[in-house]
Amino acid sequence: MTEPDTKRVKTANGAPYELIYWPGIPGRGEFVRLLFEEAGVPYNDTAKSANDAVQTVIDLVSPDNKGDEINPPTCTCPALKHGDLRLFQTPNILLYLGPQLGLAPKEGNGIYHINQLVLTILDCFCNEVHDTHHPVAAKDYYEDQKPEAKRRAKSFIEERLPKFLAYLERVLEGKASGDGPWLYGGKLTYADLVLFQGIHGTEYAFPKTMKNMRDSGKYDRVFELFEAVKERPNIKEYLASSRRCQYGNGIWRHYPELEED
Amino acid sequence: MTEPDTKRVKTANGAPYELIYWPGIPGRGEFVRLLFEEAGVPYNDTAKSANDAVQTVIDLVSPDNKGDEINPPTCTCPALKHGDLRLFQTPNILLYLGPQLGLAPKEGNGIYHINQLVLTILDCFCNEVHDTHHPVAAKDYYEDQKPEAKRRAKSFIEERLPKFLAYLERVLEGKASGDGPWLYGGKLTYADLVLFQGIHGTEYAFPKTMKNMRDSGKYDRVFELFEAVKERPNIKEYLASSRRCQYGNGIWRHYPELEED
């Protein structure tokens, strides 16, 4: 395993960022990657750089790992190392990085507004999408819970997804979103990047459903935001690069039967 | 409907706190209440004080409500009003309140460590417990998804709950938890209150399972923390008061068949 080039320093200022995540899938790690990519800030991505990327994750979340004097043990990945600091939980990592990378205000209460939007977007477009193919047992195979998955997907398509899309459209209509296509304060924030990835993944998993949602005209502001993020120069370059993983057996999976009548 | 005694001020300093939540159940609102109760800080609880508590929630999350110049619209309750500020998403409200109420550090990165623990505890003891009785369709009745619920509950009891309890035991064994029974930094933080409520609710929903977990001796530190929170003078007084709701048809429901073989 390659030791990352991280000095043990008391302050994280100037220390390199390192993302630890499973290799081969975009997954929750992708939300973190998009912040670095948009900001143009270098980061070490162990999924792509470590000699044994899987073992790096396993070692970090091992029952033998009890953390250290500063950091509680890591429960799950993605995880972030920054100097002496170790963080996990996707929305928590984003909360920490957002202001540092110029993707959230450094002062005032705006960060709480952005955080609540991010938690809501992750609930729908990440956690609930995952549960469409794993509704009853996270550890079992999809093939062992297909009838339940079908029922969960129906609820997702007919109730949950339209509910969340309507809410986000309402956010974009509201005054607090400010000018331009963005969710909050008239500026691109990390909430916009999270929504972009959530929609991108959900379009892979449920292409017919998402086309119907787009064509309905009910959520035009949401899809305009999606397109605006996609056209950001750094994001566009990233999406076309080999750094961007293909979807597979992660959160966003395409099982055509889940959106057929 | 009684108008809450909240002045419209630019700064929230000195403004009263108001919690908006469904009446009649502890639910996610309970996590917020425990912070105020432990800190001994007054709060207006619309579930108990509003003439029409249900309508107060419905008005707040209404599709007609697009927020205002400062605040995005509210997606779900619990919600917090503090001066001109409106927040939602339970872990976000707690993140805002923790430092203000002396239940999290005001400076440094400790807040991120506490936030990641809180997100993890809510995942297991709140979100996953909810999904044991509503695994496939949040809007449908439990009675319409009993076989799926049984299967999800089995996975929760045998895999998910022990996994999370073992993780939390590991946090308490680790050096970053400091001295005493607490999760982080040798002091009571709001993460301890969240864990207390999560276990309390889960003991109501799965009494046999939780007794087995307690009797196993594998998670002694976790249950010691639970008892230590329960004995805090303000918490003890609160639990014995009429302000503490009884469990019912909320997140934590007791369906004996879900933990029978």
Side-chain angles (χ1 to χ4, degrees):
Chain A
M1 197 185 103
T2 312
E3 222 5 67
D5 181 22
T6 309
K7 287 178 194 153
R8 296 281 293 182
V9 285
K10 278 288 169 196
T11 166
N13 287 342
Y17 295 102
E18 182 169 76
L19 169 67
I20 301 104
Y21 194 60
W22 299 100
I25 51 165
R28 289 184 171 86
E30 204 60 20
F31 296 108
V32 183
R33 288 187 188 108
L34 283 173
L35 271 66
F36 290 123
E37 296 288 345
E38 167 61 30
V41 168
Y43 61 108
N44 182 26
D45 190 340
T46 65
K48 291 148 190 175
S49 66
N51 285 353
D52 193 337
V54 170
Q55 197 59 44
T56 303
V57 171
I58 290 172
D59 289 347
L60 186 66
V61 301
S62 155
D64 298 330
N65 189 339
K66 295 188 166 57
D68 57 30
E69 288 181 10
I70 299 169
N71 302 284
T74 301
C75 186
T76 52
C77 284
L80 180 78
K81 291 191 186 183
H82 189 209
D84 272 356
L85 192 66
R86 309 280 178 270
L87 297 179
F88 67 96
Q89 275 279 1
T90 307
N92 186 55
I93 294 170
L94 303 177
L95 182 77
Y96 173 76
L97 289 176
Q100 292 189 24
L101 300 179
L103 294 165
K106 280 200 167 110
E107 291 181 359
N109 290 321
I111 191 71
Y112 300 103
H113 286 141
I114 292 167
N115 184 46
Q116 74 193 4
L117 294 173
V118 165
L119 288 163
T120 305
I121 295 163
L122 291 175
D123 277 347
C124 175
F125 296 94
C126 181
N127 305 337
E128 295 209 15
V129 169
H130 170 271
D131 287 356
T132 60
H133 52 77
H134 276 77
V136 289
K139 263 190 137 178
D140 293 354
Y141 290 110
Y142 162 68
E143 285 69 21
D144 296 328
Q145 47 196 310
K146 283 177 78 167
E148 296 93 339
K150 180 78 183 164
R151 204 173 156 195
R152 176 85 184 214
K154 184 175 155 66
S155 165
F156 177 76
I157 291 166
E158 294 179 1
E159 291 158 22
R160 304 295 292 172
L161 181 61
K163 176 192 147 97
F164 281 103
L165 284 170
Y167 169 71
L168 292 164
E169 186 74 10
R170 191 145 57 89
V171 170
L172 292 164
E173 285 167 22
K175 286 186 178 170
S177 69
D179 295 331
W182 316 121
L183 283 164
Y184 186 72
K187 285 185 185 168
L188 176 89
T189 70
Y190 73 91
D192 301 304
L193 302 176
V194 171
L195 182 53
F196 167 79
Q197 176 54 38
I199 290 179
H200 197 278
T202 307
E203 285 192 335
Y204 171 80
F206 293 98
K208 283 167 59 177
T209 301
M210 289 300 278
K211 185 175 185 307
N212 289 344
M213 298 290 158
R214 199 186 267 256
D215 293 348
S216 76
K218 289 183 192 169
Y219 318 112
D220 284 350
R221 288 178 179 82
V222 173
F223 288 100
E224 277 163 27
L225 182 154
F226 175 83
E227 297 299 331
V229 171
K230 205 176 184 177
E231 292 305 317
R232 303 279 299 181
N234 286 357
I235 297 294
K236 198 170 180 172
E237 189 275 320
Y238 170 62
L239 295 176
S241 77
S242 62
R243 300 194 301 288
R244 174 77 166 180
C245 289
Q246 300 299 304
Y247 294 105
N249 269 341
I251 293 159
W252 300 287
R253 304 185 188 187
H254 180 48
Y255 294 122
E257 64 271 22
L258 290 184
E259 57 175 356
E260 272 157 23
D261 291 332
Chain B
M1 198 184 103
T2 312
E3 221 8 64
D5 181 23
T6 309
K7 287 177 194 154
R8 298 280 291 182
V9 285
K10 280 287 168 194
T11 167
N13 287 342
Y17 294 103
E18 182 170 76
L19 169 67
I20 302 104
Y21 195 60
W22 299 100
I25 50 166
R28 289 183 171 87
E30 204 61 20
F31 296 108
V32 183
R33 288 187 189 109
L34 283 173
L35 270 66
F36 290 123
E37 295 288 346
E38 167 61 28
V41 168
Y43 61 109
N44 182 26
D45 190 339
T46 65
K48 290 148 190 175
S49 66
N51 284 354
D52 193 336
V54 170
Q55 196 61 45
T56 302
V57 171
I58 290 172
D59 289 347
L60 186 66
V61 301
S62 156
D64 298 328
N65 189 338
K66 295 187 169 54
D68 57 32
E69 288 182 10
I70 299 169
N71 302 284
T74 301
C75 187
T76 52
C77 284
L80 180 78
K81 290 191 185 183
H82 189 209
D84 272 357
L85 192 67
R86 310 279 178 271
L87 298 178
F88 68 95
Q89 276 278 3
T90 307
N92 186 56
I93 295 170
L94 303 178
L95 182 78
Y96 173 76
L97 289 176
Q100 292 188 25
L101 301 180
L103 294 165
K106 280 199 166 109
E107 292 181 359
N109 290 322
I111 191 71
Y112 300 103
H113 286 140
I114 293 166
N115 185 45
Q116 74 193 5
L117 294 173
V118 165
L119 288 162
T120 305
I121 296 163
L122 290 175
D123 277 348
C124 176
F125 297 94
C126 180
N127 305 338
E128 296 210 15
V129 170
H130 170 270
D131 285 357
T132 61
H133 52 77
H134 276 76
V136 288
K139 263 190 137 178
D140 292 354
Y141 291 110
Y142 162 67
E143 284 70 22
D144 296 328
Q145 47 197 308
K146 284 178 78 168
E148 296 93 339
K150 180 77 184 164
R151 204 172 156 194
R152 175 89 185 212
K154 183 175 156 63
S155 165
F156 178 75
I157 291 166
E158 293 179 2
E159 291 158 21
R160 304 296 291 172
L161 181 61
K163 174 191 148 96
F164 282 102
L165 284 170
Y167 170 70
L168 292 164
E169 186 75 9
R170 191 145 59 88
V171 171
L172 292 164
E173 283 167 23
K175 286 188 178 168
S177 69
D179 295 330
W182 316 120
L183 283 164
Y184 186 72
K187 284 184 187 170
L188 176 89
T189 70
Y190 72 90
D192 302 304
L193 302 176
V194 171
L195 182 54
F196 167 79
Q197 176 55 38
I199 290 178
H200 197 277
T202 307
E203 285 193 334
Y204 171 79
F206 293 98
K208 281 168 60 177
T209 302
M210 288 300 278
K211 185 175 184 307
N212 289 344
M213 297 289 156
R214 199 187 268 257
D215 292 349
S216 76
K218 289 182 193 171
Y219 318 111
D220 284 350
R221 287 177 179 82
V222 174
F223 288 100
E224 277 162 27
L225 182 154
F226 174 83
E227 297 299 330
V229 172
K230 204 176 184 178
E231 292 304 317
R232 303 279 299 180
N234 286 357
I235 298 294
K236 196 170 183 174
E237 190 274 321
Y238 170 62
L239 296 176
S241 77
S242 61
R243 300 193 302 287
R244 173 78 166 178
C245 289
Q246 301 298 305
Y247 293 106
N249 269 341
I251 293 160
W252 299 287
R253 303 185 189 185
H254 180 49
Y255 295 121
E257 64 272 21
L258 290 184
E259 59 174 355
E260 272 157 22
D261 290 331

